[in-house]
Amino acid sequence: MNGYGKTQEFKKPSFKLAALALLSVIFSLVLCIMIFKTVSIQVGLLLGMVFVTLISRTLGYRFNDLMVLMQKSIGESTFGLWFFIAIGAIIAAWMAAGTVPAIIYYGLGFISPTVFLPAGFILCTITALSTGTSWGTVGTVGIALVGIGQGLGIPLPITAGMIISGAITGDKMSPVSDTPNLTSMSAGADLYETLKAMMQTIAPAFFITLALFVYLGFRYGSDDANLSIINETRSVLAANFNLNPIVMLPIAILLTLNVIKFPSLPSMTIAVISGLVVAVVFQGASVPEALEFLNAGFEISTGSAYVDPILNRGGIQSMMWTFSVAFMALSLGGILSKVGYMETLIAGLVSRAKTVGSLTLLAMISSMTSTAAFGEAYMSFILNGELFKEQFDKVGLSRAMLARIVSEGGLMMAPVMPWTTFGAFAAATLGISGFAFAPYAFMSFLSPIISVLMTYLGLAVVWNNKKNKGIKRFENVDLSDEPVFIAKQ
């Protein structure tokens, strides 16, 4: 059925047409973001959508047909869009309650500049691992760490890169996270086999990243100006907020609800309400004032030009830029996915893989490209898990390894792409674009790179049959045939 209620047959895109559609999107984003620089991401997405719409017309799609595909994509991502609203409300409520200011105040008293980065990386990893959400980690613990980092004099791009690195590490390895569960489901793999496969490549990436943050901690922790910044920040917070331990109640409630697997959005609603109650009871906010913070964001004038920007943030309206990016990216991704452009591209390339390393690299690049094109990692997980699992079966590789590769390609790079839902969310929440913190989001790059290098070296390769261990090269065969392996000379 098309958008007009009539049955209509659509042509399947050719490989060249699919490549043209994807290149038109890449061209639009590069033109606006990297060449013109002053043109917004939204315009780049809109321009890409125009190109893809015109290309889709040659396959028989009318505009209304494409609108239906966009609608389906948006519908499938409703939870993520509501997450933006919830995080904006939480940030405002917790600022008004003194929850985040208290974390910053006490954090500056206990954490030295030297250990802040490695300690923050481990904290974000543990938080995401226990709660199963990278977004929730960025939007709660991450917000507090941004304030502490600024108080310690650590550059924001480094702090943001540290937060993202920890959040995606814990998310990727958490048995209660959507990421390993969805990648395992789409690849047809057992969850715990997937986690075992992930551990082989995530462990070296984790320790290298930790070492890099230790190095940066020593480099920036020796700044003599840190002490004056810390003292100013703590004195301003103490003068403007009631910082008794009870104001930490909202974050304790949210973390507890996450650990016991209470639904995410209801948990966040409870966290917002508890924050508003604390703001009224302990910070002296009126009920109308506290409620309006949810929409417009928390505002305070402390007299400190340094501290005010740390505190004045949050609110539903602060997420509208992010919301618009996500909405347009998901609409465009719906067309690219449901018309079949990405599926055609992948199918046209997969038969060219002749080695374990090249198949891994292809699946990794496909997952990254899908996330970039769809604007959403979840659609990338589903598409690539489905498209590659028969190929992995055919050559005797474990589907758990496929699930690992799909998550490494689809999730790890998402936050450094400002037009994806994760990237837009991270930018709005942390106050810095993915392009700016990308050089310090070490896990985003190290995890996929190490994974590919290890498979080319014959390491971290998971076979269905252990007798195949050590084989690096294979010949593609029809799915009806038995796999045929040719040992590399």
Side-chain angles (χ1 to χ4, degrees):
M1 298 286 286
N2 67 6
Y4 298 96
K6 298 179 180 179
T7 302
Q8 182 175 341
E9 292 292 331
F10 301 116
K11 298 177 183 177
K12 184 178 179 180
S14 65
F15 182 86
K16 290 182 178 179
L17 198 67
L20 178 62
L22 183 60
L23 288 173
S24 69
V25 174
I26 295 173
F27 168 77
S28 300
L29 290 170
V30 169
L31 180 69
C32 293
I33 300 171
M34 304 185 72
I35 297 178
F36 291 154
K37 295 183 179 180
T38 56
V39 180
S40 65
I41 294 173
Q42 288 92 328
V43 175
L45 291 169
L46 183 61
L47 187 60
M49 201 175 300
V50 170
F51 286 137
V52 173
T53 298
L54 293 175
I55 293 170
S56 300
R57 292 279 295 179
T58 65
L59 300 173
Y61 288 89
R62 302 177 185 180
F63 179 73
N64 206 53
D65 300 320
L66 298 176
M67 286 294 292
V68 171
L69 300 184
M70 295 182 210
Q71 181 182 2
K72 289 180 179 178
S73 179
I74 294 295
E76 292 166 358
S77 305
T78 301
F79 175 83
L81 294 175
W82 270 104
F83 205 95
F84 291 134
I85 305 299
I87 285 293
I90 279 182
I91 293 170
W94 287 9
M95 284 293 183
T99 304
V100 175
I103 295 173
I104 296 171
Y105 177 84
Y106 293 116
L108 289 175
F110 288 109
I111 300 177
S112 71
T114 302
V115 303
F116 168 69
L117 290 172
F121 172 58
I122 294 172
L123 176 61
C124 287
T125 300
I126 293 173
T127 302
L129 186 66
S130 59
T131 62
T133 168
S134 52
W135 288 35
T137 300
V138 172
T140 54
V141 175
I143 288 294
L145 289 174
V146 166
I148 295 172
Q150 288 181 266
L152 295 172
I154 306 294
L156 180 56
I158 299 178
T159 300
M162 172 268 289
I163 294 167
I164 291 296
S165 292
I168 57 178
T169 301
D171 187 334
K172 182 175 181 291
M173 292 303 301
S174 174
V176 296
S177 167
D178 290 344
T179 298
N181 278 280
L182 187 56
T183 54
S184 297
M185 181 188 70
S186 61
D190 176 77
L191 171 62
Y192 290 96
E193 289 299 317
T194 297
L195 293 175
K196 285 172 58 179
M198 287 179 175
M199 184 61 70
Q200 297 181 43
T201 56
I202 201 73
F206 176 86
F207 287 111
I208 293 173
T209 297
L210 182 61
L212 289 170
F213 283 126
V214 168
Y215 165 75
L216 290 175
F218 278 106
R219 179 179 175 185
Y220 288 93
S222 61
D223 189 348
D224 294 334
N226 285 329
L227 186 59
S228 63
I229 295 173
I230 292 171
N231 290 336
E232 176 188 350
T233 303
R234 297 192 81 215
S235 63
V236 168
L237 293 175
N240 288 274
F241 293 92
N242 181 341
L243 299 176
N244 75 79
I246 298 177
V247 302
M248 307 285 280
L249 186 62
I251 192 169
I253 290 173
L254 180 60
L255 290 176
T256 301
L257 291 172
N258 284 337
V259 169
I260 65 174
K261 312 299 184 295
F262 198 75
S264 298
L265 285 176
S267 296
M268 298 172 82
T269 302
I270 294 171
V272 169
I273 294 172
S274 63
L276 294 180
V277 171
V278 171
V280 172
V281 174
F282 292 97
Q283 307 300 343
S286 67
V287 173
E289 183 181 28
L291 290 173
E292 183 54 25
F293 284 150
L294 299 184
N295 178 59
F298 178 71
E299 287 190 25
I300 189 173
S301 179
T302 66
S304 171
Y306 182 81
V307 177
D308 282 356
I310 299 175
L311 303 176
N312 293 333
R313 58 175 64 220
I316 295 171
Q317 294 306 314
S318 71
M319 288 291 176
M320 287 301 99
W321 184 92
T322 309
F323 191 95
S324 66
V325 171
F327 183 88
M328 297 177 72
L330 290 168
S331 298
L332 176 57
I335 300 176
L336 291 172
S337 173
K338 298 181 188 305
V339 171
Y341 290 120
M342 290 304 301
E343 183 177 357
T344 298
L345 280 174
I346 295 169
L349 292 171
V350 73
S351 62
R352 303 180 185 183
K354 300 296 183 183
T355 66
V356 176
S358 62
L359 183 59
T360 300
L361 179 61
L362 177 60
M364 187 78 71
I365 292 175
S366 175
S367 298
M368 289 180 182
T369 305
S370 300
T371 296
F374 298 159
E376 173 56 72
Y378 284 1
M379 289 192 288
S380 174
F381 295 159
I382 295 170
L383 174 68
N384 288 284
E386 287 290 333
L387 289 179
F388 279 95
K389 62 185 179 184
E390 289 187 356
Q391 186 74 5
F392 270 62
D393 287 346
K394 182 171 61 176
V395 299
L397 291 170
S398 169
R399 291 189 179 187
M401 178 180 168
L402 170 61
R404 180 191 79 200
I405 295 166
V406 168
S407 68
E408 288 166 336
L411 170 68
M412 307 306 272
M413 292 294 293
V416 301
M417 302 174 185
W419 60 89
T420 66
T421 53
F422 195 173
F425 167 76
T429 305
L430 301 177
I432 183 173
S433 168
F435 286 152
F437 67 69
Y440 305 100
F442 300 125
M443 282 299 297
S444 290
F445 301 97
L446 284 174
S447 178
I449 289 173
I450 288 174
S451 179
V452 172
L453 287 177
M454 289 182 74
T455 53
Y456 267 103
L457 293 172
L459 305 172
V461 178
V462 186
W463 295 97
N464 289 325
N465 187 341
K466 292 183 179 180
K467 292 181 179 180
N468 294 326
K469 187 176 181 180
I471 292 175
K472 296 181 180 179
R473 184 174 179 83
F474 51 78
E475 290 293 339
N476 291 317
V477 294
D478 292 336
L479 293 177
S480 57
D481 295 335
E482 291 296 322
V484 176
F485 297 95
I486 300 177
K488 185 175 181 180
Q489 300 298 320

